Amino acid sequence: MGDDLDLRGRGLSAVPSAVWEARGLRSLALGRNPLGAVPDAVGSLTSLTALYLDETGIDELPDSVGGLTALRVLDVAHNRLAALPDGVARLGALEVLYLGDNRFTALPEPVRALRSLLYLGAAGNRIAALPEWIGELDALVELYLRGNPLAALPDAMAGLRALRSLDLRETAIAALPDWLAELPALQRLDLRWNGLLLDPPAIVERLRARGCVVWL
């Protein structure tokens, strides 16, 4: 079966049982299939470094996913998820997490433990406020929050010293905190289609003056 298995868009309503026996798999792509559910057996693929479950119609992940301790990329975007299982907190090697276009009303608590995370995509959800613990994810380089009803950014985000790209398009942000201009690595800040940010605050010019690209 090889190291990589791509079954995207095959019309599958269930995953062939042979897949769960392929213990040497490093990448498994099941996106764009009407699976509706992912069996516990996924946790047996302990060699996986990438798992793509986007557009599969799932409303939950099995806790067994926590057994995939080598996983570096997890894509569960474009589904019906409102929570993540506690097992996700065991994915200590995870660097890329796609949560976009689901039903999250808050960043799931298990994400807090993912200290290796470089990319977090949570666009198109129902997140009205970010937790203070987001500042603990200090390896983050890219954070995408477009299309959430966010009204403010927590001061704890001042701890995201590695952050290079922050997408706040189509949110309800009414003001920008001063610490945003002090994020040393920030290179791209996207504020487009944000109706409540009426007059560009002085912080925008401060960011632009130091070379950060800001879209309004």
Side-chain angles (χ1 to χ4, degrees), residues 82-121:
L84 292 179
D86 291 342
V88 167
R90 303 200 302 273
L91 303 179
L94 201 67
E95 296 178 351
V96 176
L97 178 59
Y98 297 99
L99 300 176
D101 294 311
N102 274 286
R103 298 177 180 177
F104 297 107
T105 57
L107 279 182
E109 180 69 24
V111 174
R112 183 176 188 172
L114 305 179
R115 301 302 173 82
S116 297
L117 210 57
L118 302 176
Y119 177 106
L120 176 57

Side-chain angles (χ1 to χ4, degrees), residues 36-38 58-62 80-81 83 85:
V38 178
I58 57 174
D59 57 17
E60 64 179 357
L61 274 179
R80 303 170 185 169
L81 298 169

Side-chain angles (χ1 to χ4, degrees), residues 31-210:
R32 304 194 305 276
N33 284 296
L35 298 177
V38 178
D40 288 339
V42 69
S44 66
L45 301 179
T46 54
S47 295
L48 279 184
T49 60
L51 177 60
Y52 301 93
L53 297 170
D54 50 301
E55 293 185 68
T56 49
I58 57 174
D59 57 17
E60 64 179 357
L61 274 179
D63 192 62
S64 64
V65 75
L68 306 179
T69 54
L71 206 63
R72 295 173 62 186
V73 178
L74 176 60
D75 186 351
V76 292
H78 311 293
N79 282 301
R80 303 170 185 169
L81 298 169
L84 292 179
D86 291 342
V88 167
R90 303 200 302 273
L91 303 179
L94 201 67
E95 296 178 351
V96 176
L97 178 59
Y98 297 99
L99 300 176
D101 294 311
N102 274 286
R103 298 177 180 177
F104 297 107
T105 57
L107 279 182
E109 180 69 24
V111 174
R112 183 176 188 172
L114 305 179
R115 301 302 173 82
S116 297
L117 210 57
L118 302 176
Y119 177 106
L120 176 57
N125 280 285
R126 304 168 186 176
I127 301 170
L130 295 172
E132 289 291 327
W133 56 252
I134 194 171
E136 300 170 16
L137 303 179
D138 54 9
L140 270 183
V141 173
E142 299 182 62
L143 178 58
Y144 291 86
L145 298 165
R146 175 180 180 174
N148 284 287
L150 288 171
L153 301 176
D155 288 343
M157 284 180 65
L160 301 181
R161 311 290 287 175
L163 194 66
R164 294 181 195 168
S165 183
L166 177 59
D167 188 346
L168 297 171
R169 285 177 290 175
E170 297 180 279
T171 60
I173 300 289
L176 297 176
D178 287 341
W179 54 256
L180 202 57
E182 307 302 324
L183 290 181
L186 195 63
Q187 298 174 2
R188 295 180 297 276
L189 175 61
D190 202 334
L191 300 165
R192 287 176 289 179
W193 310 307
N194 189 328
L196 296 185
L197 201 60
L198 298 178
D199 298 313
I203 190 174
V204 169
E205 293 312 313
R206 288 171 60 195
L207 284 164
R208 285 173 169 166
R210 56 155 240 218

